[in-house]
Amino acid sequence: MASEEAKTGKSMDAIMALCKRRGFIYQASEIYGGINGFWDYGPLGAQLKKNLRDAWWEDMIMRPCWGKNGPNGRPVRCVPLETRIIQHPKVWAASGHISGFNDPMVDDKETKQRFRADHLCGLYLREVASDGPPIGIQYQGFINDIREFRAGDPELTAVASTEGEALELLMPQLKKRFKGVDVSAHVEVEHDVQADIYIHDANQQRAWIAKLKMIPLALLKERIAYIKSPFSGKMGHLTDPRQFNLMFKTIVGATGTEDDTAYLRPETAQGVFVQFKNVVDTTRVKIPFGIGNTGTSFRNEVTPRNFTFRSREFEQAELEFFCHPDESFEWYKFWRDFRMDWWKSIGLAGDNLILREHEKDELSHYSVGTSDVEYRFPFTAPGFGELEGIAHRGCFDLTQHQQHSGAKMEYNDTERGEILPNGGRRGERYIPHCIEPAAGLDRGVLALICEAYSRDESRPSPEVMKFHPRIAPIKAAVFPLVAKEGMPEVADKLHAELSQRFWRQGAIEIDEKQSIGKRYARMDEAGCPYCFTIDGDTLTNQTVTVRDRDSGAQERIGIDKVAAFLTEKIGG
Ligand code: ATP
């Protein structure tokens, strides 16, 4: 049993096999051997992802926060926007992506394979506890032999191939070191390679004590000659680490040269910032309000991995919520809490979902708060991976675009400022602050798939996808028990009626092949919550059986009550 399976009860290999077999996710360009970091969605996956996107669109833009009032006591207001993948290159200079969106990477000189240098070289723990000698931790991503640079460094070491494994190895050592107190850690080894170490008191209050930090590039350069290549196994076979920009480049125009270089967007947010003024000037929105959009983003990730979790092409759903600086912290807390509730509402409730508030020293210089909604994927367990970041971005982005473009980004707030003799307000001009809940739809789909995946050995097919009815790609199935005696005709009629009524929410299937047990099993694997069977009794007393996917229990209801039953269960 793989260690991930032991920790979560779910095997990533089994989940990936089911995704392929049932048409949730395929490797892109598979018949040509695939292309690393790119994935396609099959019929079930495409509908699942659409349902997730639609749920986001409905609950963030059309009826924000389920109609709840914001911290100002008024309904939350958001409008949609659609902006392009390719923007003027100056957008990315202003946003900081051209200068700062980098990972250090090395190539194997012989095999030409490339990967992240920080994963290769390990990490250090900077101890902030006042007593005791400094602790060093090395996390080793790929190499199984770290003797070369162990001397003098770490008192704690872990040689592991995943973050979760590193954690497991480090924990007993940390516990030994901090005798008598409970120690836990949260590891995130992604763009910002870091891990937070906490201690807990008897009341489970936790205190942050230390952080793992990425090795600076200069130090990596010193060490690279002494590190064996994980590909050729030879020392001295790796190039110096170089900063590698994660943005994909392209050339615009048929006769374009390097001067016509443009970039594929690495996030959708910047398109919103550069259209902020147009939205304010051409609609009736008033601060506070949000602009939401969904769309594809691209990052030339050095090491795409963990199925779709770290892809090179992925879809984001981002809201930029603009407010007065004095109210921004309240809005930040509001959005942070709502986003957590939202992921719970579509089926990610329980211990596998956490909200992690960033520590002060993790924050960007302009931010007063950032939290991540994180999910315990089988490949991150016992740690978590980010699903969504909720960031207080201050006025950083609008100010940057004002400076780089010369366009004024100030908002004239006519509801503020001193009261004039005529009873009106003088108005106040300011650059709004922005709260950004930025979610990844592909990671969302992957989390929903991992959460839904369950096994019940007593069923004909033990794999059951327990999707929340709102996001399940198939909402219901209609089966004639046998393909004769008038049952197919009744099934066709019910199927047509349900399809007509529920097509907006997802597919309604009809299936008359194979035994009824096999048909239930197919629907269990697809995550269809309800199956309606037409049998001999239907022909005499106008009732059908409803089978519940999760319990397997069956009950009889009138055929004329099926639509109402489904409406109650899945909405619409
Ligand atoms: P990470 O640290 O995991 O690389 P990030 O903090 O850089 O993520 P953001 O820039 O905050 O991510 O992007 C918002 C969301 O977009 C993330 O929470 C994630 O769901 C999604 N996302 C980012 N990079 C990728 C990727 N390479 N593949 C799939 N989804 C991604």
Side-chain angles (χ1 to χ4, degrees):
M1 190 189 271
S3 62
E4 75 204 14
E5 193 174 352
K7 279 172 246 146
T8 61
K10 300 187 186 192
S11 138
M12 218 41 224
D13 286 347
I15 292 174
M16 288 171 75
L18 182 125
C19 281
K20 166 84 193 288
R21 185 160 51 80
R22 290 312 314 271
F24 282 99
I25 300 175
Y26 307 130
Q27 201 179 8
S29 309
E30 190 184 297
I31 59 168
Y32 290 100
I35 170 164
N36 200 8
F38 298 87
W39 299 92
D40 291 337
Y41 288 88
L44 285 181
Q47 184 65 47
L48 176 65
K49 191 165 163 195
K50 179 180 184 298
N51 291 352
L52 178 65
R53 189 189 302 111
D54 286 353
W56 186 91
W57 193 269
E58 282 160 23
D59 298 344
M60 296 294 279
I61 298 177
M62 304 313 292
R63 196 170 67 103
C65 312
W66 308 317
K68 268 190 352 187
N69 283 347
N72 58 352
R74 299 214 199 125
V76 182
R77 175 93 206 269
C78 295
V79 294
L81 193 71
E82 183 184 308
T83 66
R84 297 281 66 96
I85 286 169
I86 293 184
Q87 299 281 335
H88 194 292
K90 284 187 182 165
V91 168
W92 309 113
S95 68
H97 283 91
I98 288 182
S99 57
F101 199 49
N102 298 311
D103 277 342
M105 41 126 290
V106 293
D107 295 335
D108 184 306
K109 290 177 192 161
E110 211 170 274
T111 65
K112 306 288 179 225
Q113 275 159 302
R114 168 176 296 175
F115 55 102
R116 274 170 62 171
D118 48 311
H119 283 178
L120 183 67
C121 288
L123 308 167
Y124 288 90
L125 178 72
R126 172 170 58 80
E127 189 183 20
V128 295
S130 51
D131 49 351
I135 298 173
I137 287 186
Q138 287 194 329
Y139 161 69
Q140 193 65 17
F142 291 90
I143 307 180
N144 289 327
D145 181 355
I146 59 168
R147 269 169 307 172
E148 293 94 331
F149 54 97
R150 191 177 279 179
D153 277 343
E155 291 188 9
L156 302 172
T157 56
V159 182
S161 54
T162 65
E163 293 85 331
E165 221 175 288
L167 236 187
E168 223 169 53
L169 293 166
L170 291 174
M171 239 349 101
Q173 302 178 52
L174 277 166
K175 283 188 174 150
K176 211 159 133 199
R177 194 169 167 85
F178 294 96
K179 267 200 202 79
V181 277
D182 195 9
V183 189
S184 72
H186 174 96
V187 184
E188 200 184 321
V189 188
E190 301 299 353
H191 281 313
D192 309 317
V193 181
Q194 53 195 12
D196 292 294
I197 312 291
Y198 299 91
I199 51 174
H200 301 252
D201 67 13
N203 301 323
Q204 283 304 306
Q205 290 290 326
R206 86 180 182 168
W208 177 83
I209 53 160
K211 176 181 291 301
L212 286 165
K213 280 284 187 196
M214 198 164 84
I215 296 181
L217 198 62
L219 201 60
L220 286 179
K221 278 192 176 147
E222 268 172 37
R223 285 167 181 258
I224 215 79
Y226 304 101
I227 296 174
K228 279 184 193 165
S229 163
F231 302 112
S232 62
K234 295 177 192 159
M235 221 185 274
H237 267 235
L238 297 170
T239 60
D240 273 355
R242 279 169 291 138
Q243 291 301 117
F244 172 72
N245 196 290
L246 296 184
M247 280 196 294
F248 280 99
K249 275 186 186 173
T250 188
I251 301 277
V252 172
T255 55
T257 63
E258 268 299 301
D259 294 342
D260 302 308
T261 296
Y263 301 91
L264 306 191
R265 67 180 172 201
E267 61 175 35
T268 61
Q270 296 304 321
V272 173
F273 293 123
V274 299
Q275 291 295 0
F276 169 75
K277 256 319 224 187
N278 270 338
V279 173
V280 169
D281 293 346
T282 59
T283 70
R284 286 169 174 254
V285 288
K286 280 198 162 68
I287 291 253
F289 74 95
I291 305 179
N293 73 159
T294 63
T296 308
S297 294
F298 299 82
R299 295 183 189 175
N300 200 0
E301 300 282 0
V302 180
T303 45
R305 62 195 172 131
N306 292 335
F307 205 12
T308 57
F309 182 85
R310 185 160 301 285
S311 305
R312 288 180 165 142
E313 177 178 343
F314 54 94
E315 189 171 345
Q316 292 183 305
E318 298 193 287
L319 181 80
E320 309 305 319
F321 192 84
F322 300 99
C323 56
H324 188 275
D326 292 349
E327 293 172 356
S328 59
F329 194 59
E330 287 306 306
W331 278 107
Y332 161 67
K333 287 190 291 184
F334 174 81
W335 280 110
R336 180 196 63 188
D337 296 345
F338 175 68
R339 294 307 300 155
M340 183 70 179
D341 289 346
W342 186 80
W343 285 106
K344 284 185 191 165
S345 79
I346 54 168
L348 295 187
D351 288 352
N352 287 340
L353 194 74
I354 56 162
L355 183 70
R356 188 178 72 88
E357 186 88 41
H358 287 209
E359 298 298 335
K360 283 274 169 294
D361 81 334
E362 279 183 76
L363 299 175
S364 329
H365 60 279
Y366 52 79
S367 180
V368 299
T370 294
S371 314
D372 289 341
V373 177
E374 298 184 339
Y375 179 74
R376 187 192 280 129
F377 292 91
F379 49 81
T380 58
F384 294 80
E386 177 184 328
L387 274 187
E388 167 161 358
I390 300 103
H392 183 302
R393 299 186 62 93
C395 59
F396 176 77
D397 303 274
L398 290 179
T399 307
Q400 285 294 105
H401 288 300
Q402 175 166 290
Q403 278 166 4
H404 280 73
S405 67
K408 279 256 168 284
M409 291 292 175
E410 274 180 356
Y411 175 79
N412 184 15
D413 194 333
T414 53
E415 288 172 15
R416 286 176 190 269
E418 71 189 79
I419 300 176
L420 300 172
N422 66 6
R425 293 266 185 180
R426 180 173 296 283
E428 183 186 331
R429 286 183 173 275
Y430 56 89
I431 296 192
H433 276 202
C434 179
I435 314 302
E436 178 190 80
L441 292 182
D442 301 86
R443 281 193 195 170
V445 165
L446 186 57
L448 293 170
I449 286 177
C450 292
E451 184 72 13
Y453 182 88
S454 35
R455 293 188 70 89
D456 178 349
E457 305 300 335
S458 69
R459 299 194 189 196
S461 160
E463 290 174 308
V464 185
M465 298 298 281
K466 295 188 174 173
F467 292 122
H468 187 284
R470 186 175 182 199
I471 55 117
I474 299 175
K475 300 300 185 204
V478 180
F479 301 149
L481 185 61
V482 288
K484 53 187 180 192
E485 294 163 22
M487 291 182 210
E489 290 73 15
V490 179
D492 278 345
K493 191 159 167 270
L494 181 62
H495 174 248
E497 182 198 332
L498 297 180
S499 299
Q500 190 66 22
R501 176 114 176 230
F502 295 101
W503 63 269
R504 279 191 188 80
Q505 283 99 319
I508 307 289
E509 291 268 302
I510 184 160
D511 189 0
E512 55 180 51
K513 299 216 172 65
Q514 298 182 307
S515 72
I516 194 77
K518 285 202 174 129
R519 283 183 267 169
Y520 284 150
R522 270 185 68 74
M523 285 300 124
D524 282 351
E525 286 182 347
C528 167
Y530 302 103
C531 296
F532 299 96
T533 302
I534 315 298
D535 56 18
D537 289 349
T538 313
L539 307 175
T540 53
N541 68 8
Q542 308 300 308
T543 61
V544 297
T545 59
V546 191
R547 175 183 177 270
D548 180 281
R549 174 199 64 202
D550 296 348
S551 64
Q554 301 189 15
E555 60 174 309
R556 286 201 87 85
I557 62 170
I559 197 163
D560 57 339
K561 300 281 184 305
V562 171
F565 173 93
L566 263 190
T567 304
E568 191 200 318
K569 300 290 186 187
I570 66 171

